[in-house]
Amino acid sequence: MPASHRIPRALRWLLLPLAAWLILVALQIDATGKVHHPGPADAAIVLGAAVNDAAPSPVFRERIRHGLTLYRTGRVRKLILTGGYGEGAPHAESQVARAIAIRAGVPAQAILIETRSRTTQQNMAEAKRLMDRHRLSTALIVSDPLHMKRALRMARDTGITAYGAPTPTTRYRSWKSKTGFLLREVYFYNHYLVTGD
């Protein structure tokens, strides 16, 4: 058989395991986002997202809302609000979330924030620093369902005893938006496994 025919066949045998792996990761991402840990835990780590001046983006608003629910129902005793300053932003994401939480009746002493992180991995590192300082041992991670697998992996790699508390509401409702989010998460999860970033 000519080499020109053997190469595509060999390539197909290489691509099959890769495709199977990517499908498996996609299924795991979807499944992880459907698991809601009942708690209790010491804290809820609310992962930052974009803000517009002093207003949270729709994604961040839902994360904050879920964090407040976890606190009000006694599933956590502290809120750890993460997220630093976006490009040119006058307020850190965590500062915006803190103001919302206080207006909602959460005592200031029950809220911990950091203002340096810009990525999920940095969110976790800063949250771990706050947990160590305040002697908190366990956390519920609050983020979008399809973000949960990567967030939990990063939390546990950082040394946090973490469980998933995905938002019950999300702006990613349509098939198109969910598919786009899922494909991005498949890429970023594998990128993290390979590079650690």
Side-chain angles (χ1 to χ4, degrees):
M1 182 180 292
S4 60
H5 292 288
R6 289 199 302 270
I7 293 173
R9 180 176 295 177
L11 184 59
R12 284 197 298 271
W13 282 109
L14 289 173
L15 290 177
L16 280 173
L18 176 61
W21 168 254
L22 294 177
I23 291 169
L24 176 62
V25 169
L27 292 173
Q28 290 175 340
I29 288 172
D30 181 64
T32 302
K34 295 174 180 175
V35 177
H36 298 256
H37 193 276
D42 292 333
I45 300 175
V46 180
L47 300 186
V51 298
N52 181 12
D53 193 9
S57 63
V59 167
F60 198 22
R61 184 176 61 243
E62 297 308 315
R63 295 179 186 181
I64 297 166
R65 181 179 297 173
H66 191 42
L68 292 175
T69 297
L70 296 176
Y71 179 81
R72 287 169 177 155
T73 56
R75 291 171 62 185
V76 298
R77 55 189 179 88
K78 295 280 188 183
L79 293 178
I80 299 177
L81 307 175
T82 68
Y85 292 87
E87 192 67 34
H91 306 286
E93 295 162 8
S94 58
Q95 291 172 335
V96 171
R98 182 179 186 275
I100 292 171
I102 288 176
R103 286 199 300 270
V106 179
Q109 61 268 26
I111 303 171
L112 305 174
I113 72 167
E114 59 80 23
T115 60
R116 297 191 292 186
S117 65
R118 298 287 298 275
T119 66
T120 301
Q121 193 170 19
Q122 291 169 4
N123 290 162
M124 297 307 178
E126 294 298 319
K128 179 64 163 64
R129 183 176 58 82
L130 288 171
M131 289 182 70
D132 289 346
R133 179 186 302 171
H134 294 272
R135 298 182 180 180
L136 305 173
S137 301
T138 58
L140 299 181
I141 306 298
V142 179
S143 191
D144 293 82
L146 294 178
H147 186 216
M148 192 55 57
K149 182 173 176 61
R150 180 162 61 99
L152 283 172
R153 176 65 183 254
M154 289 181 171
R156 291 164 182 167
D157 287 351
T158 306
I160 299 172
T161 301
Y163 308 96
T167 56
T169 53
T170 176
R171 63 166 294 188
Y172 300 101
R173 296 185 181 93
S174 69
W175 180 88
K176 183 177 180 181
S177 63
K178 286 181 179 178
T179 301
F181 194 169
L182 177 60
L183 292 175
R184 287 195 299 274
E185 279 302 311
V186 169
Y187 169 78
F188 284 119
Y189 184 78
N190 281 286
H191 183 271
Y192 174 70
L193 291 183
V194 173
T195 68
D197 293 323

